[in-house]
Amino acid sequence: MQKREFTASLVAGGCAGMCVDLTLFPLDTIKTRLQSQQGFTKAGGFRGIYAGVPSAAIGSFPNAAAFFVTYESTKSMLGAHGALSAPHMAPVTHMLGASLGEVVACLIRVPTEVVKQRTQASLSSNTYQVLLATLREEGVRGLYRGYKSTVLREIPFSLVQFPLWEYLKTQWSWRQGHTLYSWQAAVCGAFAGGIAAFVTTPLDVAKTRIMLAKAGTSTASGNIPLVLLDVWKTRGLTGLFSGSIPRVTSISLGGFIFLGAYEKVRRTLL
């Protein structure tokens, strides 16, 4: 991967991340409160819809930049030579690139997500107070509560979204006989994101429960199957897919903004 491509991926990814996170923050707050163990109303309802936005603003640029640099670098390395360079192996390359990108990005995403979601579900505290309370009660490990569940949610999500996004772009480009415009890549991103979002909603519910759980409880231990089983027993299938409507809506819109902005900025820089 050339230095110019590296820089373009870094800047385009960061800009796309900030655009989508700040634009769709209210929907993310609603989704978090719907999935909260205490319930939507007790978690704040529609009040303080921008609670936790400083955490999202600080983390969005480096998080998205880290993902796309890793994704594009992996695609470049794996697609250059060897068995994975064949055209029919492209989806595998995209899956591996997206998975590795998520593992790296989550090192930045999870601490900001922990602080953001706890602020969203507790109107009595601001971002700074939540950060200090987390460090005081749980240390740095508290900021990485739910790292495993986040990675296990993001990898299946990306395994669906990115190969589907690349496939839709390839098919549309082939049908019209030229490279897609940025808005067309954005439409492909919206479709791919919406499908991936719905399929992975139960994992998102588990991640939210783990991050919001009080330290020392069984939920806080991060055992995803146990958390999902508990949700199934108490709230059934609707509990496993709670927040799916705002999640699919926000991620479809997010896929349009995120991947469209990424393509536009990257092409401009290249």
Side-chain angles (χ1 to χ4, degrees):
M1 193 179 188
Q2 295 178 357
K3 186 179 178 181
R4 191 178 177 188
E5 290 177 320
F6 178 90
T7 306
S9 297
L10 183 83
V11 175
C15 290
M18 285 199 74
C19 283
V20 70
D21 285 349
L22 297 180
T23 303
L24 302 178
F25 193 84
L27 278 173
D28 184 67
T29 302
I30 292 167
K31 183 216 71 172
T32 298
R33 291 173 180 175
L34 283 168
Q35 294 176 349
S36 170
Q37 207 157 1
Q38 59 188 317
F40 180 71
T41 307
K42 287 184 179 178
F46 290 103
R47 292 172 290 128
I49 214 78
Y50 279 94
V53 76
S55 176
I58 292 166
S60 60
F61 189 99
N63 160 37
F67 173 82
F68 273 111
V69 164
T70 308
Y71 177 66
E72 295 290 354
S73 299
T74 305
K75 272 173 56 182
S76 180
M77 283 189 291
L78 295 177
H81 48 76
L84 294 176
S85 60
H88 70 276
M89 293 300 287
V92 178
T93 304
H94 300 148
M95 285 178 181
L96 290 171
S99 299
L100 192 57
E102 291 297 354
V103 172
V104 173
C106 280
L107 292 170
I108 300 165
R109 182 181 305 150
V110 171
T112 58
E113 189 86 351
V114 167
V115 174
K116 181 196 74 175
Q117 289 202 320
R118 290 182 180 184
T119 308
Q120 286 173 330
S122 175
L123 289 176
S124 58
S125 304
N126 60 34
T127 300
Y128 183 63
Q129 289 170 333
V130 168
L131 174 62
L132 289 182
T134 302
L135 289 172
R136 185 172 61 249
E137 293 168 17
E138 301 174 65
V140 175
R141 286 185 66 183
L143 292 176
Y144 282 91
R145 166 101 72 81
Y147 177 81
K148 186 169 67 174
S149 61
T150 305
V151 170
L152 289 175
R153 177 200 66 175
E154 295 296 351
I155 287 179
F157 177 84
S158 291
L159 285 176
V160 176
Q161 184 188 34
F162 280 87
L164 185 56
W165 178 54
E166 299 279 8
Y167 173 77
L168 290 171
K169 285 197 300 175
T170 302
Q171 289 300 307
W172 198 347
S173 176
W174 175 73
R175 284 177 180 276
Q176 69 181 14
H178 61 81
T179 307
L180 297 188
Y181 298 112
S182 298
W183 71 265
Q184 292 173 313
V187 171
C188 293
F191 274 103
I195 292 166
F198 183 76
V199 170
T200 57
T201 296
L203 291 172
D204 188 53
V205 171
K207 188 265 314 178
T208 301
R209 291 286 184 98
I210 289 165
M211 284 186 172
L212 296 180
K214 289 184 179 179
T217 61
S218 58
T219 303
S221 66
N223 190 315
I224 297 167
L226 280 180
V227 173
L228 289 174
L229 184 62
D230 179 59
V231 174
W232 170 261
K233 284 179 178 177
T234 55
R235 298 181 63 188
L237 194 62
T238 54
L240 291 174
F241 283 89
S242 60
S244 60
I245 293 173
R247 176 169 162 80
V248 169
T249 304
S250 66
I251 291 178
S252 294
L253 287 170
F256 185 89
I257 298 166
F258 185 55
L259 297 172
Y262 174 73
E263 288 275 319
K264 182 68 177 176
V265 175
R266 192 168 188 270
R267 286 178 191 175
T268 303
L269 293 174
L270 290 174

